[in-house]
Amino acid sequence: MSIFQDFQNLFNASPNLVSAAPGRVNLIGEHVDYNQGLVLPFAIDSVTYCALRLRDDEKILLSSKQVESKIYETSLSNLAPKTGPDWTRYILGVIWSLGIKRGVEILIDSEVPQGAGLSSSAALECSVAFALNEALSLGLTRIELAQLTQRAENEFVGVPCGIMDQTISLLGKIGHALLLDCRDLTSKLITVDFEENGLRLLIIDTQAHHALVDGGYAKRRAQCEEVVGFFGLISLRDLSASELEKKKMLLDSTLYSRALHVVTEIDRVNAAVSALKRNDFKLLGELLNQSHDSLRFQYQVSCPELDCAVEISQKSGALGARMIGGGFGGSAIALVKDGDVGMVASAVERSFAEAGFKSPRFFDAIPSEGARLIDRRY
Ligand code: GLA
């Protein structure tokens, strides 16, 4: 049944509109968005739908097809950071950060796998923000929506994420990755055509979620801040590899490793853009491999499942592979020749079984369109 009909059955009225916003993969540029660096994500073809109706009072009624309970009810005057059941906070946070003054009814339905490191939370926030912006004619730009949804996640949900996931969910374009400069939020579309070149980008969801996820992420951010303080900079974006090497002996060795990752990863993003422009997928693959090594050994945000997915992909013919997102679980990507996909996937499956890991899941990463209106009826 369509979300439109589900909404009617649940709320006994039609939604004003239905929006959709996608999850993402990040080709390269990991753990650099909060260091004002460069990232190269693209939107995937799985989306989160938001059907929305404006009310004439202050009530907020929320429901999700992925959650058992029927309808969660609260009101605009009750909105306060870090309140409400977990799944509602992403929605309430957006209503809060956009400063909405009218009650709403919202039904959510999501195709983005949860906990797979594919930004299901950004997809949820962005679909709600996009729907509110349209229904209330707020006139906010997509970049403004990205900033406000990030604020919702940072302050209302309480997760200290950067701005990459929300931005790509809103700005994604079919057939392109987005080269986003996280210092000034300017961006360029970069053509990505795996299919035309006989390739596929395989997403390997390890199904692993390690307890370190939240604490580990915040700790890495704090370590980057320490290096920024040590060098007296505004952000690690302003640190050069030679400057870092010069002061290596004076810097704590863990902090040095963290900074080394950030500085080299930003260079790899530039190199990946040039490789894509020349259709040099061999080089792109090598850059993915280098990125993974750096995330594993310098930044230390990988885990045994991610390392296994990457190593086995590399050994069974992938041009390159790496973990994506925050780390400590979630997904890896592998750049694979079309004809080798089955071989790579079954090798990874076998190794996971031998290691006693949960069975991995596989998806195709197809550069897709960002947030959009699906249906508008008044
Ligand atoms: C998570 C965060 C992003 C980014 C990545 C790591 O996905 O939400 O802002 O920091 O981790 O690159």
Side-chain angles (χ1 to χ4, degrees):
M1 210 186 329
S2 75
I3 188 167
F4 193 87
Q5 283 163 330
D6 286 331
F7 188 100
Q8 282 178 322
N9 295 344
L10 193 68
F11 294 115
N12 289 320
S14 300
N16 297 125
L17 52 81
V18 180
S19 66
R24 63 100 187 89
V25 301
N26 186 18
L27 212 41
I28 199 156
E30 216 63 89
H31 282 278
V32 299
D33 61 348
Y34 53 83
N35 289 303
Q36 301 195 359
L38 300 170
V39 293
L40 192 61
F42 64 77
I44 55 174
D45 63 347
S46 311
V47 297
T48 296
Y49 296 97
C50 169
L52 176 143
R53 191 173 85 89
L54 297 170
R55 294 178 56 94
D56 293 322
D57 58 17
E58 288 220 325
K59 276 190 191 164
I60 299 174
L61 303 181
L62 308 179
S63 190
S64 161
K65 289 177 77 172
Q66 279 66 50
V67 176
E68 286 296 314
S69 64
K70 272 244 158 227
I71 296 177
Y72 174 77
E73 182 174 336
T74 183
S75 91
L76 288 174
S77 50
N78 281 337
L79 283 186
K82 298 176 194 170
T83 57
D86 284 355
W87 69 272
T88 64
R89 293 186 185 182
Y90 300 91
I91 308 171
L92 297 174
V94 172
I95 296 174
W96 170 84
S97 71
L98 265 63
I100 303 303
K101 299 279 178 272
R102 252 179 101 169
V104 284
E105 289 160 6
I106 285 178
L107 173 62
I108 298 294
D109 191 10
S110 184
E111 308 162 345
V112 186
Q114 280 177 34
L118 300 174
S119 290
S120 59
S121 33
L124 173 54
E125 291 154 0
C126 294
S127 70
V128 172
F130 196 85
L132 286 167
N133 193 35
E134 288 291 322
L136 289 160
S137 303
L138 300 178
L140 294 162
T141 64
R142 285 175 187 251
I143 283 289
E144 285 166 341
L145 290 177
Q147 289 169 316
L148 290 166
T149 46
Q150 184 201 14
R151 177 158 178 240
E153 183 147 350
N154 290 168
E155 294 176 30
F156 199 99
V157 184
V159 175
C161 64
I163 198 156
M164 169 172 74
D165 304 342
Q166 289 81 6
T167 308
I168 188 57
S169 183
L170 288 153
L171 264 66
K173 278 275 162 246
I174 192 164
H176 295 85
L178 190 77
L179 174 62
L180 174 67
D181 184 329
C182 299
R183 178 154 58 185
D184 58 12
L185 298 186
T186 54
S187 61
K188 276 189 205 123
L189 289 170
I190 308 293
T191 304
V192 175
D193 200 345
F194 296 125
E195 207 184 323
E196 185 79 351
N197 291 281
L199 295 167
R200 276 173 51 194
L201 193 73
L202 192 63
I203 299 173
I204 307 168
D205 171 15
T206 65
Q207 302 241 50
H209 316 287
H210 291 286
L212 266 172
V213 179
D214 295 338
Y217 187 88
K219 196 159 176 205
R220 296 305 178 281
R221 285 196 71 148
Q223 289 168 330
C224 292
E225 285 305 316
E226 268 194 70
V227 182
V228 165
F230 175 86
F231 281 99
L233 302 166
I234 291 175
S235 75
L236 284 187
R237 173 72 176 278
D238 305 311
L239 183 62
S240 68
S242 59
E243 194 59 23
L244 178 61
E245 286 314 308
K246 253 192 251 161
K247 301 265 171 69
K248 179 175 178 181
M249 301 317 281
L250 300 174
L251 197 58
D252 165 86
S253 65
T254 304
L255 294 185
Y256 167 79
S257 300
R258 303 298 187 251
L260 183 64
H261 165 72
V262 174
V263 168
T264 57
E265 184 76 354
I266 295 173
D267 287 345
R268 281 188 287 273
V269 175
N270 282 319
V273 170
S274 318
L276 277 170
K277 285 187 178 157
R278 283 181 278 117
N279 276 346
D280 186 347
F281 291 101
K282 188 167 170 287
L283 176 59
L284 181 66
E286 281 162 19
L287 292 164
L288 298 185
N289 293 339
Q290 288 168 17
S291 171
H292 185 76
D293 278 352
S294 181
L295 288 158
R296 178 178 180 181
F297 297 112
Q298 311 298 340
Y299 218 66
Q300 295 181 302
V301 288
S302 190
C303 66
E305 292 86 346
L306 285 167
D307 293 337
C308 178
V310 166
E311 271 171 21
I312 300 299
S313 300
Q314 290 163 341
K315 280 189 192 145
S316 36
L319 278 75
R322 68 176 203 88
M323 56 152 282
I324 58 165
F328 308 111
S331 293
I333 49 172
L335 184 61
V336 184
K337 287 194 189 121
D338 227 346
D340 292 348
V341 171
M343 198 169 65
V344 170
S346 40
V348 171
E349 231 160 25
R350 254 196 326 275
S351 302
F352 267 52
E354 278 162 21
F357 299 155
K358 271 192 193 165
S359 282
R361 293 189 295 179
F362 300 93
F363 309 99
D364 237 342
I366 302 167
S368 304
E369 201 60 24
R372 56 205 181 259
L373 213 52
I374 298 291
D375 197 349
R376 182 197 283 273
R377 307 182 195 197
Y378 289 107

